[in-house]
Amino acid sequence: MRTEAAFRSKGDTCRGWLYTPDGGEGPFPLVVMAGGWCYVRELVMPHYAEFFTRAGMAALLFDYRCLGVSDGEPRQHLDPNAQIEDYRNAISFAEGLSEVDPDRIGAWGISYSGGHVLILAATDPRVKCIVSTIPVVEGYRNMRRVHGTMGFRRLMDAVLEDRKARYRDESARGYIPHAAPDPERTLSSWPFPETYETFIQLKETEAPLYQNSSTIESVELLMNYSVHPFLPRILDTPSLVLVAEGDDLTLWDLEIDAYNRIPSAKKKLFIIPQTSHMTLYSDRSKLEIAAGQATEWLADHLVKPFG
């Protein structure tokens, strides 16, 4: 069953959906979910939520502030620290729901939010288990590699010009496409034509509120983003990291290196074979592999130990 949900985060309202199992009696274990770069709640996450509810877990997925159906200004602004705060406030909201067991809360994330849940595992003891799917782990290195030398020069020029413009007039902030069909000519945050094609298709089929745009400041914030200071603090939180074989978007070598830096023995790395970052969105069979692994891990830690 799916119902509307809303909670407050730093004075604004975040909106999402609460999924609960059709059978059984609550309170249920809960998986808190949010998306990656420019994602809205309709985008891919409901498919994962349905896997989780069939395994006896509830799921709360939501739009961050400034995106989709949630409040907040400026629109399409992606601040990773604010997004992690939204996760924390989603957990605080969920703790008070009669359908939810507050002692069995997990967190799931994908791409940008795949990094967010690693930080949550290190910093929020209410999170009893995480699934980090194709995570962004170090924004600066990520941007340098995917843009290449000349592309990165153009990106840095745009970031600095935007900073100067915002200093003169906050309303003059600039925007940049999430992706573009011609990244060699059109500057975008993630310069992959398949990213543009996949998200435009998803906008047409399941996520009409998706917008192919973010503030340029969002890219500046991404380049200050790293999960590495937090990884040594993941000592006892069961952590599954799902990596797409050969992922050259969020960079599977950086993801595997981040996984290896988690000191906890309660961890697992699963490499999804013969896939890529974007096929986890465009190919349902690849999504089902990832969802199956995530469901098994979450159930092993949030459901099975409790009978």
Side-chain angles (χ1 to χ4, degrees):
M1 182 173 68
R2 187 179 84 181
T3 57
E4 295 284 336
F7 60 91
R8 300 289 286 172
S9 187
K10 292 291 185 178
D12 289 317
T13 298
C14 290
R15 298 180 180 87
W17 288 316
L18 176 67
Y19 287 76
T20 52
D22 291 331
E25 294 184 4
F28 301 104
L30 175 79
V31 185
V32 179
M33 309 171 65
W37 196 266
C38 294
Y39 292 22
V40 290
R41 62 179 179 174
E42 299 94 343
L43 209 157
V44 173
M45 291 184 285
H47 301 301
Y48 285 89
E50 290 167 3
F51 269 79
F52 302 157
T53 56
R54 287 197 294 268
M57 296 175 282
L60 173 64
L61 61 89
F62 65 92
D63 284 341
Y64 302 115
R65 284 172 285 164
C66 305
L67 292 173
V69 293
S70 291
D71 296 343
E73 296 289 342
R75 302 306 294 172
Q76 298 300 120
H77 183 59
L78 314 177
D79 180 334
N81 291 323
Q83 292 181 348
I84 293 166
E85 180 69 9
D86 293 344
Y87 259 105
R88 293 193 178 104
N89 287 318
I91 293 168
S92 296
F93 164 73
E95 286 180 308
L97 297 176
S98 60
E99 302 96 324
V100 172
D101 183 343
D103 295 321
R104 291 189 289 163
I105 293 177
W108 173 97
I110 190 167
S111 199
Y112 210 3
S113 65
H116 297 352
V117 298
L118 288 167
I119 295 172
L120 284 170
T123 60
D124 196 324
R126 299 174 300 174
V127 175
K128 300 301 191 290
C129 171
I130 67 153
V131 175
S132 173
T133 309
I134 50 175
V136 174
V137 297
E138 192 171 345
Y140 180 76
R141 289 177 69 188
N142 210 151
M143 288 291 98
R144 286 211 65 160
R145 278 176 54 179
V146 301
H147 283 274
T149 299
M150 299 309 296
F152 189 71
R153 289 182 186 178
R154 293 167 59 206
L155 185 69
M156 285 301 301
D157 286 345
V159 166
L160 293 174
E161 284 303 312
D162 180 67
R163 173 162 284 283
K164 293 175 185 177
R166 284 187 285 112
Y167 177 75
R168 292 190 296 266
D169 180 0
E170 184 68 20
S171 66
R173 69 172 56 250
Y175 285 79
I176 185 172
H178 174 186
D182 55 348
E184 67 282 353
R185 290 188 294 272
T186 302
L187 186 65
S188 63
S189 301
W190 296 93
F192 298 87
E194 67 270 24
T195 298
Y196 175 82
E197 293 158 5
T198 298
F199 277 88
I200 291 303
Q201 181 182 20
L202 290 169
K203 179 179 177 68
E204 294 173 353
T205 58
E206 61 185 53
L209 293 182
Y210 163 77
Q211 295 184 42
N212 181 38
S213 175
S214 75
T215 63
I216 296 175
E217 186 184 4
S218 300
V219 179
E220 183 177 17
L221 293 168
L222 169 62
M223 287 194 287
N224 292 325
Y225 178 82
S226 175
V227 304
H228 284 282
F230 301 93
L231 298 176
R233 296 165 58 180
I234 304 177
L235 299 173
D236 200 42
T237 304
S239 302
L240 170 65
V241 178
L242 298 174
V243 172
E245 182 182 16
D247 186 347
D248 59 359
L249 197 155
T250 51
L251 307 174
W252 72 319
D253 57 313
L254 298 188
E255 294 168 341
I256 293 171
D257 176 66
Y259 169 83
N260 287 332
R261 293 172 187 268
I262 298 172
S264 174
K266 298 177 181 178
K267 65 178 183 177
K268 178 181 177 181
L269 174 70
F270 184 86
I271 298 176
I272 306 161
Q274 299 178 337
T275 188
S276 68
H277 194 96
M278 294 314 303
T279 52
L280 283 183
Y281 304 88
S282 60
D283 185 335
R284 188 60 56 85
S285 68
K286 304 300 184 184
L287 184 154
E288 289 176 353
I289 293 172
Q293 289 292 320
T295 302
E296 181 179 359
W297 182 259
L298 291 163
D300 281 348
H301 294 92
L302 300 178
V303 178
K304 294 177 182 177
F306 301 89

